[in-house]
Amino acid sequence: MTSRWLCLSLMSLGLSGCDTGTQTRLIFSLNANLLGASSLAVPASSVRAMTSPPTPPDITSGDGMRFHLEDASVRVSDIRLELAGGLGCDDVRDQLPKGTGCVQPEGSPATVTLAGPFGINLPSGKISEEFVLEIPPGTYRRIDFVLGENGFTAQTLHAGDASWGMDLDLPEGTAMSVEAASDLRLEEGGSLRVMFDQERWLKGPPLSACYQNGDWPRPGPKRSLDEVGGECQGAGDQVRDAIRTQLKLQTRSF
């Protein structure tokens, strides 16, 4: 009752992100530093409330061209969480939240499944449907998922000239996966976090040089990396590959 009263009180003050800390969840985000970086912790009730929305970070090309990341979102489906540490479906079956399942084909690891699709704002980690992705506590090693309708999208503005920017995207149907270097133990009330490593997205092509020497056409408020020539030829595919492959997987206690 105390936790519920405190949660309602925080909501009346305009604070969001209130929870009891008892749900074990799967979170998709940009990185671990954004989530909770500007939050108010209330240790007595395990409540954590956001005091201000997280600010998306800047992203920078390999030769220093900087963009403000305005927003990023992803829609995921067919989520498959591979259990590790010798765990099978029988070990987690009694703790499977509503909407999850577990399959274990002969000769393959047990896998917790969520069908989706789920729309997620990556800077905040919030799901558009306003509920959390609950999963059972256990030991995990790998996650696979497929992008749903609208796939992945990110909007940016050039840091030196806000009159133009570019959108980054991955299409619906893109298969993605990330495997941790070692088994990850997820305790009850904790979170398993899939983090898109935005610091790696633009590190390949020398965008600043290509912009300065005219290999990147300049008309219009939006510019596409698929239009870049010269040393940056193929930049669009490079960046899409980086978004798809540069993922991290970790557990946290909340």
Side-chain angles (χ1 to χ4, degrees):
M1 180 65 69
T2 300
S3 295
R4 178 176 174 82
W5 175 86
L6 181 55
C7 183
L8 292 172
S9 297
L10 288 170
M11 291 175 66
S12 70
L13 294 174
L15 303 180
S16 61
C18 187
D19 64 71
T20 62
T22 60
Q23 293 164 311
T24 307
R25 70 203 74 181
L26 173 65
I27 293 176
F28 291 81
S29 70
L30 288 181
N31 62 48
N33 294 325
L34 287 179
L35 282 174
S38 56
S39 64
L40 171 67
V42 186
S45 62
S46 299
V47 173
R48 181 168 293 265
M50 296 301 296
T51 59
S52 61
T55 302
D58 287 353
I59 54 177
T60 309
S61 72
D63 61 348
M65 193 173 198
R66 192 160 54 93
F67 292 85
H68 298 310
L69 184 57
E70 297 291 290
D71 204 1
S73 61
V74 66
R75 194 162 183 84
V76 298
S77 63
D78 192 21
I79 301 170
R80 303 175 67 82
L81 294 154
E82 185 178 299
L83 289 167
L87 294 180
C89 287
D90 289 342
D91 298 302
V92 300
R93 199 175 307 281
D94 291 342
Q95 294 179 289
L96 286 174
K98 182 179 179 181
T100 65
C102 189
V103 297
Q104 190 169 10
E106 185 175 353
S108 300
T111 301
V112 174
T113 62
L114 297 91
F118 307 101
I120 301 160
N121 176 267
L122 290 174
S124 68
K126 289 185 176 181
I127 303 173
S128 59
E129 289 82 1
E130 297 186 356
F131 62 91
V132 299
L133 292 177
E134 287 192 74
I135 57 176
T139 303
Y140 294 91
R141 185 68 177 266
R142 176 186 173 95
I143 182 172
D144 296 85
F145 56 96
V146 177
L147 298 189
E149 184 180 1
N150 298 325
F152 165 96
T153 59
Q155 297 79 43
T156 76
L157 288 177
H158 184 262
D161 181 359
S163 66
W164 70 274
M166 63 179 179
D167 292 343
L168 310 176
D169 63 86
L170 287 175
E172 176 183 355
T174 300
M176 303 182 71
S177 65
V178 57
E179 184 170 345
S182 59
D183 294 352
L184 299 173
R185 179 62 188 171
L186 177 61
E187 303 292 345
E188 184 175 358
S191 60
L192 180 66
R193 304 192 178 212
V194 181
M195 296 175 292
F196 286 69
D197 189 1
Q198 71 281 344
E199 294 181 358
R200 305 297 304 170
W201 293 350
L202 301 181
K203 289 304 182 184
L207 296 180
S208 181
C210 293
Y211 179 71
Q212 294 297 329
N213 66 22
D215 286 333
W216 196 355
R218 304 190 181 194
K222 288 286 187 181
R223 297 188 178 126
S224 170
L225 289 173
D226 292 316
E227 300 172 337
V228 187
E231 290 184 75
C232 297
Q233 184 76 39
D237 288 336
Q238 289 184 53
V239 172
R240 283 186 286 270
D241 190 58
I243 295 170
R244 182 180 61 81
T245 61
Q246 296 300 320
L247 302 172
K248 297 178 181 178
L249 190 64
Q250 71 169 212
T251 54
R252 296 185 70 175
S253 58
F254 60 89

